[in-house]
Amino acid sequence: MPLSKESIYTAEDYWNLPEGRRAELIDGKLYDMAPPSYIHQKMILKLSRTIDQYIETSHGHCEVLPAPFAVNLTGNDKNWVEPDISVICDKSKLSDRGCEGAPDWIIEIVSPSTQKNDYGLKLFKYRTAKVREYWIVNPERKIVNVYDFEHDSNTGIYSFEDEIPVGIYPGFSVRVEDLISSF
């Protein structure tokens, strides 16, 4: 039996969603997730691959995990999100359920149905959960909002043509235009 909209949802409700339904649990509310577009998925693939290759070639120890992948932001079972890309450097946070605590780097690819949460609610939640770096990639506007919560000097708005510095990996940068020119 579905819960009414006035109900406060819990982690139990989140983990018992009907097969095929994707949602995020934030502060007792379930936010349904629409199926992603082709461009959205290609961007996740290209960005994940680029980040993973960098980590491998530099002998890093972090994990790159694309959605769907559950993240329990504060480890208290109250907020379960599914970032488009999560980079987790503390492998003790990884469990069969997902990530128990804040990833080091989160990337969200904006879609019309997620825009409000990506720029507002999630920005606040990620910052307060101690995510080190958060990128919002907007394919429609061809910009990337970078929030480097450890180094304010790296925070800013970049175009897809810019070399975007990665705060958690000094010396590594991403040029989104190079990744998407093939599609």
Side-chain angles (χ1 to χ4, degrees):
M1 179 168 145
L3 297 171
S4 70
K5 291 186 188 276
E6 293 81 35
S7 294
I8 301 294
Y9 294 94
T10 65
E12 184 178 348
D13 298 316
Y14 171 78
W15 285 104
N16 289 301
L17 289 170
E19 187 72 31
R21 180 178 175 201
R22 288 185 56 216
E24 295 179 305
L25 174 67
I26 303 174
D27 295 331
K29 293 182 182 178
L30 282 175
Y31 294 87
D32 285 315
M33 299 172 70
S37 69
Y38 167 75
I39 289 176
H40 185 273
Q41 289 303 95
K42 286 292 282 187
M43 291 190 88
I44 291 173
L45 175 69
K46 297 284 188 167
L47 282 165
S48 295
R49 185 181 295 152
T50 299
I51 296 163
D52 192 55
Q53 285 174 345
Y54 175 81
I55 292 169
E56 279 188 27
T57 58
S58 61
H59 306 290
H61 63 279
C62 301
E63 294 271 347
V64 180
L65 296 158
F69 181 73
V71 172
N72 181 5
L73 278 177
T74 54
N76 65 6
D77 246 10
K78 293 190 181 214
N79 293 295
W80 284 92
V81 294
E82 290 188 20
D84 290 320
I85 300 171
S86 298
V87 178
I88 300 140
C89 299
D90 179 354
K91 292 187 183 180
S92 71
K93 292 181 180 180
L94 297 172
S95 74
D96 286 342
R97 293 194 325 166
C99 181
E100 306 281 346
D104 294 86
W105 182 14
I106 289 177
I107 299 173
E108 296 282 10
I109 312 297
V110 171
S111 61
S113 64
T114 66
Q115 190 164 331
K116 183 178 175 185
N117 281 350
D118 291 341
Y119 285 105
L121 183 60
K122 285 186 175 181
L123 172 61
F124 175 76
K125 287 295 178 187
Y126 293 162
R127 182 180 202 125
T128 57
K130 305 282 190 243
V131 170
R132 294 169 58 199
E133 187 164 353
Y134 175 41
W135 287 21
I136 305 171
V137 179
N138 189 321
E140 186 176 304
R141 295 180 56 207
K142 296 190 183 323
I143 60 168
V144 180
N145 291 69
V146 173
Y147 299 92
D148 183 339
F149 299 127
E150 293 182 319
H151 312 98
D152 285 337
S153 61
N154 290 342
T155 296
I157 300 173
Y158 297 86
S159 79
F160 278 16
E161 289 100 26
D162 293 331
E163 287 286 336
I164 305 170
V166 177
I168 70 166
Y169 289 115
F172 177 44
S173 62
V174 176
R175 189 170 179 265
V176 177
E177 187 64 35
D178 291 343
L179 304 178
I180 64 169
S181 61
S182 62
F183 60 92

